[in-house]
Amino acid sequence: WNLGPGEGAGPDARARALRAGALAGRAIETGARLALDGIVDALVTAPIEKHATRIAGYEYPGHTEWLAHLGGDVEAAMTATS
């Protein structure tokens, strides 16, 4: 489904996007905190709806930059595996 302008957008689309973006943001921040606190050894992410995270107030272009910021503005790299 599409949360952006165009097809699929309805009167409740912004409210759904705000909630989805807030939940995604909290999940990313919680995962980062667990990793930084040594509670988990790794963090695995899945695609997020970036339009929704921006509506929720998160201005990061993607996970890599977001996690780098949460880690103290460190250098970060993305690895993909299948």
Side-chain angles (χ1 to χ4, degrees):
W1 47 287
N2 179 7
L3 295 175
E7 205 172 314
D12 297 324
R14 185 168 178 81
R16 287 192 314 268
L18 177 62
R19 180 161 169 72
L23 290 170
R26 287 197 345 233
I28 290 168
E29 290 177 344
T30 298
R33 175 58 40 214
L34 292 171
L36 290 167
D37 289 347
I39 296 169
V40 298
D41 293 325
L43 181 63
V44 177
T45 63
I48 57 171
E49 173 58 61
K50 290 177 179 73
H51 178 72
T53 57
R54 286 193 183 93
I55 287 175
Y58 300 101
E59 295 298 325
Y60 304 99
H63 292 85
T64 305
E65 298 85 0
W66 197 340
L67 291 169
H69 173 73
L70 293 173
D73 292 315
V74 297
E75 277 192 47
M78 177 180 58
T79 301
T81 185
S82 61

